[in-house]
Amino acid sequence: MAAAAGDVCGAVLGGRGGAGAAAEARFISSAKGKGLFATKNIRKGETVFVERPVVSSQFLWNALYNYRACDHCLRALETAEENAQRLLGKSSLVLPHPEQCSIRKDLHQQCPRCQVMYCSAECRQAALEQYHQVLCLGPSRDDPTHPLNKLQEAWRNMHYPPETSSIMLMARMVATVKQAKDKEWWIKAFSQFCNKTANEEEEIVHKLLGDKFKGQLELLRLLFTEALYDEHLSRWFTPEGFRSLFALVGTNGQGIGTSSLSQWVHACDALDLPMLQREELDAFIDQLYKDIEKESGEFLNCEGSGLYVLQSCCNHSCIPNAETSFPENNFLLHLTALEDIEAGEEICISYLDCCQRERSRHSRNKILRENYLFTCSCPKCLVQADDADVTSEEDEEGEGETDDAELEDEMTDV
């Protein structure tokens, strides 16, 4: 469940306005680990903190399908209009109010050696200083025999969409340590994230790779070693160490979603327009959502994952008092209070989506056991403890169904 966090936490945390001061990690129990607790009263709607990931990476299939994002912060690189045109397969589409799109193409830069794109000079420099010197493919970017390209291709052949993790998140962890002057500091930073037992690690790997996970994990380990071996991290390259690293990323990786289109929609929602113009714009956006769903389904955003020290300390509740989002169209995670939270109260998020939280206790815990290896004991689950341990027909029938209102929420909630 929640990860450990210590004195490294403050150093790896990025934010503004005293981010992190409103919450701190505390030990709860050996079974539950640590949790995040409010250090002061927090009002509903208030930002608890803004956090920068220790490391992050775009999903490989997502990038392959031309979801163009900054290689460092995952900010969408397409304009809102380009984004909508691609999702619709309609190059003639014109969006109203183009001035509401925040994408600045004039600021974009690329690595001069391997041509990966960044949203700004700042992101290019940050990547170069942290990990890109090790991972830059240079003229070998399109060479299928390069060890890093072999690793990425093997991962794509094992982990198909919908993606939940990336081997490149692990690669950036290794590259970060290899480039660092203070290697022990970074090793300590990564050790802040929770560890699992050997059996739990196998379950997580099985979940990510499927029934052939043992053979696939060994192939990934060999390719990972060929591409990135470093004596300071020799344990990470052993069969046991690699499995632990894989499970760490699978357990603690926080999904990141960015979209220039959703940013444009939020900006349009805030426009002060005459009633008729407002109705016309809302109707246009509603139809746009429906058309995109028919053409592209649920894969709408630039997607990746990252490791966040404070966020990883948040335990689950089926009635969460906080939620995570990415309103800045990049990897900066905002934790926002859903209710008033008193000083000393635990801050919990939900590992389930809105629809899943409305299902029976049995259905909720089935999802949590399969994906996170624990049974929930939040107040809602305790109240429903005597309910029948069966999955209701309504739960079964509702799986996979998404109405228009839910679709719109999913498309704009980043």
Side-chain angles (χ1 to χ4, degrees):
M1 289 179 284
D7 56 358
V8 173
C9 180
V12 298
L13 176 68
R16 60 190 74 115
E24 65 179 11
R26 299 177 190 169
F27 180 77
I28 298 175
S29 67
S30 57
K32 199 171 184 179
K34 290 202 173 188
L36 198 68
F37 291 83
T39 57
K40 63 180 183 181
N41 293 336
I42 302 170
R43 304 289 295 178
K44 178 180 180 181
E46 184 179 339
T47 298
V48 182
F49 60 73
V50 179
E51 185 174 14
R52 183 187 305 273
V54 183
V55 67
S56 62
S57 179
Q58 187 179 5
F59 292 147
L60 291 177
W61 278 106
N62 192 258
L64 193 66
Y65 280 122
N66 296 317
Y67 289 75
R68 296 179 56 238
C70 174
D71 198 58
H72 183 64
C73 79
L74 273 75
R75 182 184 300 277
L77 297 177
E78 298 173 302
T79 65
E81 189 167 275
E82 290 171 336
N83 191 186
Q85 288 172 346
R86 176 174 54 78
L87 292 172
L88 280 174
K90 187 178 180 181
S91 60
S92 61
L93 176 74
V94 176
L95 293 185
H97 302 285
E99 75 284 353
Q100 297 304 315
C101 176
S102 61
I103 300 302
R104 290 282 307 277
K105 287 197 166 189
D106 57 307
L107 299 179
H108 294 179
Q109 291 198 6
Q110 64 179 190
C111 171
R113 297 191 65 241
C114 68
Q115 282 74 57
V116 299
M117 291 296 299
Y118 299 99
C119 68
S120 64
E122 290 78 11
C123 274
R124 177 186 158 195
Q125 187 62 30
L128 189 66
E129 291 177 358
Q130 184 178 340
Y131 55 79
H132 190 65
Q133 293 175 50
V134 169
L135 298 179
C136 181
L137 290 169
S140 300
R141 184 181 183 186
D142 297 318
D143 178 4
T145 66
H146 189 283
L148 272 174
N149 285 331
K150 288 163 60 178
L151 177 66
Q152 294 182 68
E153 181 63 19
W155 175 257
R156 278 193 292 264
N157 289 332
M158 296 177 190
H159 191 63
Y160 293 95
E163 297 171 274
T164 55
S165 187
S166 175
I167 196 72
M168 292 310 295
L169 193 61
M170 297 166 60
R172 288 189 178 182
M173 292 171 68
V174 172
T176 294
V177 176
K178 291 182 75 166
Q179 278 192 213
K181 293 181 179 178
D182 189 349
K183 299 181 188 301
E184 291 303 317
W185 188 93
W186 276 103
I187 293 172
K188 185 178 180 182
F190 291 130
S191 73
Q192 299 300 294
F193 297 95
C194 71
N195 297 309
K196 297 289 185 181
T197 65
N199 287 338
E200 288 174 328
E201 288 175 354
E202 285 214 352
E203 287 190 55
I204 294 165
V205 174
H206 186 184
K207 181 69 179 178
L208 288 172
L209 295 180
D211 291 337
K212 299 179 180 179
F213 73 95
K214 289 188 177 179
Q216 290 180 332
L217 188 66
E218 179 60 12
L219 174 59
L220 285 174
R221 185 184 72 84
L222 293 173
L223 292 172
F224 196 76
T225 301
E226 179 187 1
L228 295 162
Y229 183 79
D230 184 89
E231 61 181 18
H232 289 92
L233 297 168
S234 58
R235 185 185 175 277
W236 285 7
F237 295 91
T238 66
E240 297 78 15
F242 187 71
R243 183 190 64 201
S244 296
L245 184 64
F246 201 93
L248 182 153
V249 169
T251 302
N252 295 279
Q254 162 68 42
I256 302 170
T258 64
S259 168
S260 54
L261 180 60
S262 71
Q263 292 287 302
W264 173 82
V265 170
H266 283 304
C268 286
D269 286 343
L271 289 174
D272 184 14
L273 299 173
M275 183 178 297
L276 181 59
Q277 290 184 33
R278 167 54 60 192
E279 290 175 353
E280 290 176 346
L281 180 58
D282 289 347
F284 175 88
I285 292 173
D286 289 344
Q287 188 60 49
L288 182 63
Y289 287 148
K290 294 175 183 177
D291 293 343
I292 287 176
E293 181 191 18
K294 291 176 183 177
E295 183 68 26
S296 298
E298 63 185 34
F299 299 107
L300 306 170
N301 301 326
C302 296
E303 295 180 349
S305 62
L307 296 178
Y308 296 83
V309 175
L310 275 186
Q311 177 276 333
S312 71
C313 293
C314 290
N315 285 309
H316 164 82
S317 173
C318 296
I319 43 173
N321 56 11
E323 67 177 358
T324 60
S325 63
F326 299 89
E328 298 186 52
N329 191 33
N330 61 14
F331 62 15
L332 290 179
L333 180 148
H334 289 232
L335 187 73
T336 305
L338 294 173
E339 306 290 345
D340 288 347
I341 303 172
E342 295 183 2
E345 184 178 349
E346 185 175 8
I347 300 173
C348 293
I349 59 176
S350 180
Y351 301 170
L352 306 174
D353 63 34
C354 294
C355 294
Q356 291 170 333
R357 292 201 297 272
E358 295 306 312
R359 296 177 183 174
S360 67
R361 179 191 61 84
H362 177 73
S363 294
R364 297 196 305 272
N365 276 287
K366 181 174 182 288
I367 297 169
L368 292 170
R369 281 192 299 270
E370 289 178 352
N371 292 279
Y372 302 99
L373 312 183
F374 74 90
T375 299
C376 183
S377 58
C378 73
K380 182 175 181 178
C381 286
L382 292 177
V383 167
Q384 298 175 345
D386 294 330
D387 291 359
D389 284 340
V390 293
T391 303
S392 66
E393 292 181 6
E394 183 181 57
D395 286 340
E396 297 291 349
E397 292 173 358
E399 290 186 12
E401 294 180 2
T402 306
D403 62 26
D404 291 342
E406 290 166 358
L407 174 67
E408 181 173 342
D409 287 342
E410 291 174 4
M411 293 182 68
T412 59
D413 189 21
V414 295

